[in-house]
Amino acid sequence: MRTPYQNLPSFLKALLVLVFIIVLVFFLTVGKSLLIPLFMGGFFAILFTPLNNWLEKRKIPRTLASFLSLLIMILLVGGLLSFIIGNVAAFTNDFDNVSDRVSNYANQIDDWTQSNLGMDYEIREKANVEYFREILDEHSSSISNFALKTVGSLSGVVLIPVFMFFLVLYRDHLTQMMIMIYRDRDPTLVKMRITSLRKVIQHYIVGVGKVMLILAVLNVSAYSALGIKHAIFFGVLGAILNIIPYVGPFFGVLLPVVYSFLTKDSLFYPLAILVAYQLIQLIEGNFLTPKIVGGNVNLNAFITFLGLLIGGTIWGVAGMVLIIPTLAILREIFDLTEDTKPFAFLLGEEKKKPKKPKPIDEEN
């Protein structure tokens, strides 16, 4: 039996899709202060669901198990943010002995521009310790507000653990709601698909976490071997930023390169950092991610890149982090019904067709 949507002309179907996209983008933009904490809380809830199940099997009430999961999440995230903020704030003290080097660089730039371009930008006047200290102090003080900007506001920071707690607590209730929405389908099949979807996201998040841990060890080892100060911070930060495809690795190596350029006596160190980071990225792209994360997300490269641009435009850094698992969830949801399977195909990787065996010539 054909649905009313299937009976519509093709141009009306395309128009409905366009209207839906416009309304969705407007909704995401206007409601981002509430939706960003909701999405983040949802992903934390998915990540900690196995722990909750394990605690409940030990006869621990679901409410208490949800609270314990929430407490562990707050400790982990709070510790990581404290580590990052503390290291960034300490950078100011490392620039006490670089005034001569910075002034030398500035003089060389001014001499070159004046002799070749006939213009004097007076960079030497700005190249002093106090100028850089003011910049660092300004950014160091604002770094503590980075998490607030990422999730939208202070209320967003508070809402993330609240949403996580309730989503973990009422996960069975939400599953039953999805079964009621797809009441024309076999309830057992719908429940299996929801469970499978949750496992896909869990495997993705855990896999990304394992990759980040290995990258952190490799980065810290490389930076420590080169004698770079704050090697642990640079290594961990580069591993965390790697969660953002394409853009994250660039910013992950930019900070240690600039830092080594200003604090070391030779250009060997920033160049060595670039080479080491590139080798580590080759290992990550060709071995770690395919083996550990695998095809759990199964999004094509174009959709991934486009999603990063849209997510960054609408939600900033939070959007770039959340967009990949969100698109993976949408792909699985679209795959539930025949009407939306074309959208699932659009988001997913194109399946390779099996090669046909060559015909064997008959013997004469």
Side-chain angles (χ1 to χ4, degrees), residues 37-72:
L38 178 60
F39 274 65
M40 286 189 169
F43 288 120
F44 277 119
I46 292 174
L47 181 62
F48 282 90
T49 294
L51 175 62
N52 244 63
N53 292 334
W54 183 83
L55 292 173
E56 290 175 22
K57 289 180 180 178
R58 269 66 183 175
K59 307 300 182 182
I60 297 178
R62 173 164 294 190
T63 303
L64 179 58
S66 301
F67 179 77
L68 292 175
S69 299
L70 174 64
L71 183 61
I72 294 173

Side-chain angles (χ1 to χ4, degrees), residues 9 29 37 49 57 76 82 118 121 137 159 266 310 325 354:
T29 304
T49 294
K57 289 180 180 178
L76 290 176
S82 299
Y121 293 100
D137 287 339
L159 286 175
S266 172
I310 296 174

Side-chain angles (χ1 to χ4, degrees), residues 176-193:
Q176 188 60 37
M177 181 201 70
M178 293 297 296
I179 293 175
M180 294 173 66
I181 291 176
Y182 292 95
R183 55 183 177 275
D184 56 332
R185 301 279 176 172
D186 183 7
T188 304
L189 178 61
V190 174
K191 190 173 183 179
M192 288 177 58
R193 294 298 295 270

Side-chain angles (χ1 to χ4, degrees), residues 147-166:
L148 297 182
K149 294 179 181 179
T150 301
V151 299
S153 62
L154 180 60
S155 61
V157 176
V158 176
L159 286 175
I160 291 175
V162 173
F163 282 138
M164 173 194 164
F165 176 79
F166 284 113

Side-chain angles (χ1 to χ4, degrees), residues 65 145 189 198:
N145 297 325
L189 178 61
R198 187 176 69 241

Side-chain angles (χ1 to χ4, degrees), residues 5 13-14 16-18 20-21 298-300 303 327-328 330-349:
Y5 177 80
K13 291 181 181 179
L16 286 176
V17 172
L18 181 61
F20 172 75
I21 293 174
N298 195 27
L299 297 172
N300 65 66
I303 292 297
L327 289 175
L330 288 176
R331 184 182 60 81
E332 292 292 329
I333 293 175
F334 288 153
D335 202 40
L336 288 174
T337 61
E338 294 296 328
D339 292 338
T340 55
K341 275 190 176 182
F343 301 107
F345 175 79
L346 174 65
L347 296 177
E349 285 279 8

Side-chain angles (χ1 to χ4, degrees), residues 191-201 332:
K191 190 173 183 179
M192 288 177 58
R193 294 298 295 270
I194 294 173
T195 303
S196 174
L197 175 61
R198 187 176 69 241
K199 288 183 178 180
V200 166
I201 303 303
E332 292 292 329

Side-chain angles (χ1 to χ4, degrees), residues 242-286:
N242 196 73
I243 196 175
I244 306 175
Y246 309 121
V247 180
F250 170 76
F251 288 103
V253 73
L254 181 62
L255 187 58
V257 166
V258 173
Y259 181 83
S260 63
F261 178 76
L262 292 176
T263 57
K264 292 293 183 179
D265 298 325
S266 172
L267 291 177
F268 165 79
Y269 294 98
L271 293 176
I273 291 175
L274 284 174
V275 173
Y277 200 82
Q278 185 61 36
L279 291 175
I280 292 172
Q281 286 300 308
L282 287 175
I283 295 173
E284 181 270 332
N286 294 286

